[in-house]
Amino acid sequence: MRSIVAEHRDDRGALLPILHAVMEEMGHVDPAAIPILADELNLSRADVYGVITFYHDFRQTPPGRKTIRICRAEACQAVGAAQLADNARARLGVGFGETTADGAVTLEQVFCLGNCATGPSVQVDGRLYGRVSPEQLDGMLEVGA
C-alpha cells in the first residue's frame, strides 16, 4: 500500500490514482487501507471513505471470479436491459454491487458502456457484448462459461 502511495504521491489529486492502482493490484480497497491512505495523504478518514463510496468503480470487498456489468442507461433500458437486470438478480440471488455467496459472480450496474447502438449491453470480465438476450445472459452467468 505504501509503495503505491509513494508512486503517486506527487500526482495532482493523488487519492484517485492511488485508489485505481490499489484496485488494479488487489481487486478491491480493503477498509483497513483507509487509515493508511488518510495518514499518508494527510486527509481525514472520512474524506478517503467518501471517495471510495462515492465512485462505483471502487469496491471494498473482493470481486467474484466473474464480474457481470449490465448497462442501465436509457438506450439499453429502451431495448430490454431492465429484464436482463431482473433476470440476473433473480438467478444469482444478489443485488447490484453484491457477490454470490460462493464467490463466483459479482453483479454490477453501469450507466453507459458506450455501446448504445447495440443494446442491451453487458460487460463480462472487461469484454463487451451487445444485443444480449436473456438466454445469452443466462450463459454468461455461468462461472465456467
Side-chain angles (χ1 to χ4, degrees):
M1 182 68 56
R2 293 187 196 280
S3 64
I4 292 172
V5 171
E7 186 176 327
H8 296 281
R9 180 183 308 283
D10 295 329
D11 292 355
R12 182 175 180 193
L15 181 57
L16 286 174
I18 289 168
L19 290 173
H20 282 290
V22 169
M23 288 288 297
E24 181 72 28
E25 180 145 337
M26 304 172 94
H28 71 289
V29 180
D30 190 309
I34 292 172
I36 296 167
L37 294 173
D39 183 57
E40 288 287 328
L41 297 172
N42 196 29
L43 298 169
S44 73
R45 291 178 185 189
D47 287 337
V48 175
Y49 178 79
V51 170
I52 293 168
T53 56
F54 179 80
Y55 293 103
H56 294 283
D57 285 340
F58 300 131
R59 44 181 311 105
Q60 295 183 69
T61 57
R65 293 184 295 281
K66 179 182 276 193
T67 299
I68 307 281
R69 301 172 82 201
I70 299 174
C71 181
R72 304 291 309 275
E74 290 81 4
C76 285
Q77 289 292 92
V79 292
Q83 181 185 2
L84 292 181
D86 291 344
N87 291 355
R89 287 191 303 250
R91 175 146 183 217
L92 295 172
V94 298
F96 288 116
E98 297 178 348
T99 301
T100 56
D102 62 0
V105 180
T106 296
L107 182 62
E108 297 180 344
Q109 64 181 342
V110 295
F111 291 93
C112 191
L113 288 168
N115 201 33
C116 303
T118 59
S121 297
V122 173
Q123 189 177 54
V124 180
D125 292 335
R127 184 169 178 191
L128 185 61
Y129 298 89
R131 295 190 178 97
V132 176
S133 69
E135 296 77 24
Q136 289 171 313
L137 182 62
D138 281 345
M140 294 174 182
L141 295 174
E142 298 297 325
V143 176

